[in-house]
Amino acid sequence: MATMEERLDAIVERYNTINDEMMKPDVVSDRKQMAKLGREQNELTPIVETYQEYKQARNEYADAKELAKEDDKELRELAHAEIERLEPAIQEYLDKLELLLVPKDPNDSHNAFMEIRGAAGGDEANIFAGDLFRMYAKYAESKGWKVEVTDSEDSEAGGFSIITFKITGQGAYGILKFESGSHRVQRVPKTESQGRIQTSTATVLCYPELDEEDFDIDMNDLEIETMRASGAGGQHINKTDSAVRIIHKPTGIVVKCQDGRSQHENRATALATIAARVKEEHQREIDEKAGAERRTKIGTGDRAEKIRTYNYPQNRVTDHRIGYTVNQLDRIIDGRLDDLMNALQMADQKAKLAGEEL
């Protein structure tokens, strides 16, 4: 079994190979190959940089150890101070590298599709679904990611009964994948005249966009329909049969796209979405039969699983999977999710490192 340093040296070698490959003219002109290498490079960069910092600290530690043997008292004192500083720093680098080396989901670097549905609670659930969409959209904007709504059904009271959208950005799925599940809100609804607090829910589903070479879906399994688009979307929206609906007959999964500028654009988006949805559903079935591939402490990603509560009266958000609670609901619903996302990723890495499964 390879030691940690042997694994890290191999990663550095692969990182350097990627850099060399990306300089070759035939690769530069191949958009797909460049994108694939770019994703791998981005995944390896934090490991390579941390390893370089670790080796630098280790070399400085070795030098300080030698200096501590000198006769000069001042030099020895300086050396001992350096040793005291470097020992915990080296351990921190080792701990960080251990986490960085935890096997990653190969889809983590991909773009993400998200679907939010109003669930229990009627109009208030749909309003909450709209709040969640805006939360993710603002977060995506803060990360420099692009958000494209592919379909939505507005609710008369506000929000959406369902909204589906794609988030394009490096590592979007790896960060947002823990959002799948049932989100619960506790607040006084706008529709409540007595001032009573109501509990409502909205479900979130997040799944990765596939690479084109992974589109192994059988076209014979698809029923493709075109129709007149509906709802807001510009002057073109209701004049042509630009909306596309695809049904995957074996699973019954339905995808509709209508927000593109043309039927061709909507068809391409719908095909990419249905392929990703079908693969996600297939993987879920495999995981269930296998026992617990997804059942780490972060949770199953099931719609039925209540993963988070947004309590408005107390300005509190609680993620039940990792025991994370903050009285900053106003910040979180405004899309400032970095601390929460980091906590979820760290908990997932530690659970994988410990081999913990529920």
Side-chain angles (χ1 to χ4, degrees):
M1 187 176 177
T3 65
M4 180 187 280
E5 288 208 12
E6 287 171 339
R7 289 175 65 193
L8 289 165
D9 287 336
I11 287 170
V12 171
E13 186 176 344
R14 174 60 186 159
Y15 181 81
N16 292 333
T17 299
I18 291 170
N19 288 341
D20 292 340
E21 286 288 313
M22 293 179 77
M23 296 295 288
K24 294 178 179 178
D26 58 326
V27 175
V28 172
S29 61
D30 187 335
R31 185 177 58 83
K32 289 182 185 176
Q33 182 66 2
M34 280 293 286
K36 188 175 181 180
L37 289 171
R39 282 198 298 268
E40 188 179 357
Q41 182 189 56
N42 285 333
E43 289 170 8
L44 297 182
T45 296
I47 301 175
V48 171
E49 289 179 348
T50 304
Y51 186 39
Q52 289 171 341
E53 291 167 359
Y54 160 73
K55 288 199 294 185
Q56 176 67 26
R58 194 181 58 183
N59 289 338
E60 291 175 6
Y61 181 78
D63 291 342
K65 280 290 218 181
E66 286 299 312
L67 203 60
K69 299 175 185 176
E70 294 288 330
D71 293 332
D72 188 289
K73 183 182 177 182
E74 286 189 11
L75 285 177
R76 288 201 309 273
E77 287 176 352
L78 284 172
H80 285 303
E82 272 294 274
I83 290 168
E84 286 183 13
R85 179 184 70 84
L86 288 165
E87 280 180 342
I90 289 170
Q91 188 57 52
E92 282 181 21
Y93 285 130
L94 285 171
D95 292 342
K96 186 176 179 181
L97 285 167
E98 196 173 37
L99 285 175
L100 287 169
L101 288 173
V102 172
K104 290 180 174 59
D105 182 338
N107 293 319
D108 279 356
S109 61
H110 290 207
N111 301 326
F113 286 109
M114 297 190 78
E115 173 190 298
I116 305 174
R117 291 176 180 265
D123 288 340
E124 172 64 8
N126 295 336
I127 293 170
F128 180 48
D131 294 338
L132 290 177
F133 167 67
R134 285 183 287 276
M135 177 183 78
Y136 293 126
K138 287 183 178 181
Y139 178 62
E141 183 182 358
S142 74
K143 305 287 282 186
W145 297 342
K146 181 182 177 184
V147 177
E148 300 171 81
V149 174
T150 56
D151 188 34
S152 63
E153 293 179 13
D154 294 344
S155 169
E156 286 186 13
F160 306 95
S161 56
I162 180 173
I163 182 166
T164 59
F165 52 101
K166 177 183 173 183
I167 295 183
T168 303
Q170 175 63 35
Y173 175 70
I175 293 173
L176 294 168
K177 65 182 179 181
F178 303 120
E179 295 306 290
S180 288
S182 180
H183 295 239
R184 180 171 61 182
V185 63
Q186 295 172 329
R187 65 185 176 190
V188 177
K190 295 175 183 176
T191 54
E192 169 58 54
S193 59
Q194 302 297 317
R196 290 172 296 195
I197 294 172
Q198 178 179 319
T199 298
S200 305
T201 60
T203 60
V204 175
L205 180 63
C206 179
Y207 48 98
E209 181 182 35
L210 304 179
D211 290 326
E212 284 186 34
E213 57 266 27
D214 291 334
F215 283 14
D216 53 2
I217 197 164
D218 187 344
M219 295 298 289
N220 293 320
D221 289 339
L222 302 180
E223 182 178 314
I224 303 176
E225 304 171 349
T226 58
M227 65 198 73
R228 194 67 51 91
S230 60
Q235 292 181 348
H236 72 289
I237 197 75
N238 287 317
K239 297 180 180 177
T240 61
D241 291 338
S242 61
V244 175
R245 180 169 66 185
I246 300 180
I247 303 168
H248 184 251
K249 290 179 281 189
T251 61
I253 291 172
V254 180
V255 166
K256 181 183 170 190
C257 290
Q258 68 169 18
D259 281 21
R261 299 295 299 181
S262 67
Q263 185 186 119
H264 176 77
E265 185 179 325
N266 282 325
R267 180 187 172 93
T269 302
L271 281 170
T273 307
I274 199 83
R277 278 291 312 274
V278 169
K279 185 168 183 178
E280 195 272 343
E281 177 64 19
H282 179 62
Q283 187 62 51
R284 186 188 64 78
E285 290 176 357
I286 290 173
D287 292 344
E288 283 188 357
K289 288 175 184 174
E293 188 69 20
R294 289 187 178 182
R295 296 174 196 169
T296 64
K297 285 200 169 180
I298 295 301
T300 64
D302 240 327
R303 286 180 192 261
E305 180 188 13
K306 287 185 177 62
I307 64 168
R308 193 174 302 144
T309 296
Y310 304 74
N311 184 300
Y312 275 73
Q314 297 179 29
N315 196 37
R316 185 179 69 228
V317 173
T318 299
D319 194 288
H320 306 291
R321 298 162 295 178
I322 60 173
Y324 180 94
T325 297
V326 288
N327 291 96
Q328 297 180 352
L329 184 150
D330 52 338
R331 290 173 54 85
I332 284 175
I333 210 71
D334 194 45
R336 286 177 272 188
L337 299 174
D338 277 327
D339 288 347
L340 175 56
M341 297 296 139
N342 290 339
L344 285 163
Q345 287 188 302
M346 187 65 71
D348 181 58
Q349 288 176 326
K350 287 181 177 178
K352 286 177 180 174
L353 195 61
E356 293 177 348
E357 293 183 349
L358 298 181

